[in-house]
Amino acid sequence: MIRRILSSVVLIPPLLLLLLFGSSDWFFALLLPVSAILLYEWHAMVQGSSRIQFLYSVIASWLLLAAKFFGLAVPLELLLLLFLMLLLVLSMPRYPEEGRTIQRIGYHVTGVIYCIVPLILLLDLHHYWGGKAVLFLLLVIWATDSGALVFGKWLGQRRFAARISPGKTVTGFWGGLAMGVVAAMLAATWMSLPWQWGHAAVLGLVISFFGQMGDLAESMLKREAGVKDSGRLIPGHGGMLDRLDSLLFAAPVFFIMIRY
């Protein structure tokens, strides 16, 4: 727990400064290494993934992020289709020696969609509403995680999705939702965002719910891969994927709610 707190104390202040005062250029620059680390951890969990396959995914993710950042008028679904086509073509020379083509390509495409598309949507959020919108999303997720941890440890008895994550409890789930709603209302007021308390509360509720589902989804993937953490990058937190699992699920839903 102490290592977890110390890691947060070191990492959170620079991130807050970047989101409150940094430009879109700095945010884009931040997402490039983040995307590479997420994909590295993803491929480390996938049995049989090679370095060249990891490299393909990183190049594809950087091209997708760059296309969004520089405003190229190319639909995201078209870029993902081209990535799939490229993977199929690259698999042809070594077929059938490697085999399992569908499985291997499925790992690639799933990793890019799961890890990178939410980051692309974060770029859009930053472009349309600035760093405060991204910070709002993060604050709600952090409050949800803290609420689920505190209420789960103090009052939690009944397990929630015990086969996936034995440490999760029903009380922790509801405590996380409550803290997410409160944090959303306070954050919207503090940052003078254009949302009334009722709107902010709904946003907080939805973000908190999907954030917790994202946490459970990553736990399920880790259990499938037979690992406890996705990595050891952040002391007390595990890997980057462990730290951003809630964000990967919450970002698309938040984007839809305020964009459309």
Side-chain angles (χ1 to χ4, degrees):
M1 179 65 72
I2 294 178
R3 295 175 65 191
R4 187 184 183 98
I5 294 174
L6 290 176
S7 296
S8 299
V9 169
V10 172
L11 295 175
I12 289 178
L15 180 59
L16 294 178
L17 291 175
L18 173 65
L19 292 175
L20 289 174
F21 305 109
S23 65
S24 296
D25 295 346
W26 283 104
F27 189 62
F28 171 67
L30 172 67
L31 292 183
L32 292 178
V34 168
S35 64
I37 294 170
L38 287 175
L39 288 172
Y40 176 81
E41 294 179 353
W42 171 264
H43 281 265
M45 290 195 300
V46 174
Q47 295 182 0
S49 178
S50 66
R51 292 182 180 179
I52 190 65
Q53 292 168 343
F54 161 67
L55 183 61
Y56 289 154
S57 294
V58 171
I59 292 174
S61 71
W62 284 0
L63 290 175
L64 291 170
L65 287 165
K68 174 61 65 176
F69 178 72
F70 292 108
L72 299 182
V74 181
L76 178 60
E77 57 269 25
L78 176 58
L79 294 175
L80 289 173
L81 176 59
L82 292 175
F83 176 55
L84 173 59
M85 292 167 58
L86 175 64
L87 291 177
L88 286 169
V89 171
L90 292 173
S91 297
M92 292 177 184
R94 300 185 65 181
Y95 185 84
E97 286 82 0
E98 288 187 345
R100 302 184 298 112
T101 301
I102 295 176
Q103 182 179 358
R104 289 187 296 103
I105 292 179
Y107 287 147
H108 277 294
V109 177
T110 302
V112 170
I113 293 176
Y114 175 58
C115 298
I116 306 306
V117 172
L119 302 186
I120 296 172
L121 295 177
L122 288 178
L123 273 180
D124 256 345
L125 284 173
H126 199 284
H127 174 73
Y128 285 110
W129 294 280
K132 287 184 177 181
V134 180
L135 179 57
F136 173 85
L137 176 61
L138 291 175
L139 289 174
V140 174
I141 290 174
W142 293 341
T144 298
D145 290 344
S146 299
L149 180 64
V150 171
F151 283 92
K153 283 188 175 297
W154 287 356
L155 303 174
Q157 294 181 348
R158 183 181 174 187
R159 300 300 176 187
F160 184 82
R163 292 184 178 181
I164 298 175
S165 182
K168 298 290 191 297
T169 65
V170 174
T171 306
F173 172 76
W174 289 111
L177 285 181
M179 291 299 293
V181 170
V182 172
M185 293 189 292
L186 294 177
T189 302
W190 169 54
M191 292 186 289
S192 301
L193 294 171
W195 305 318
Q196 300 296 326
W197 272 33
H199 190 186
V202 172
L203 288 172
L205 181 66
V206 174
I207 291 170
S208 179
F209 174 80
F210 279 94
Q212 294 190 73
M213 292 303 102
D215 188 9
L216 284 173
E218 200 239 353
S219 296
M220 181 174 62
L221 294 172
K222 289 189 296 185
R223 186 169 291 275
E224 187 80 10
V227 298
K228 182 178 184 296
D229 296 316
S230 65
R232 301 179 179 178
L233 180 65
I234 308 173
H237 293 274
M240 183 71 72
L241 195 54
D242 294 319
R243 184 63 275 178
L244 299 184
D245 52 5
S246 298
L247 181 66
L248 297 179
F249 260 48
V253 180
F254 179 55
F255 178 85
I256 290 172
M257 291 184 71
I258 66 173
R259 181 72 174 87
Y260 301 106

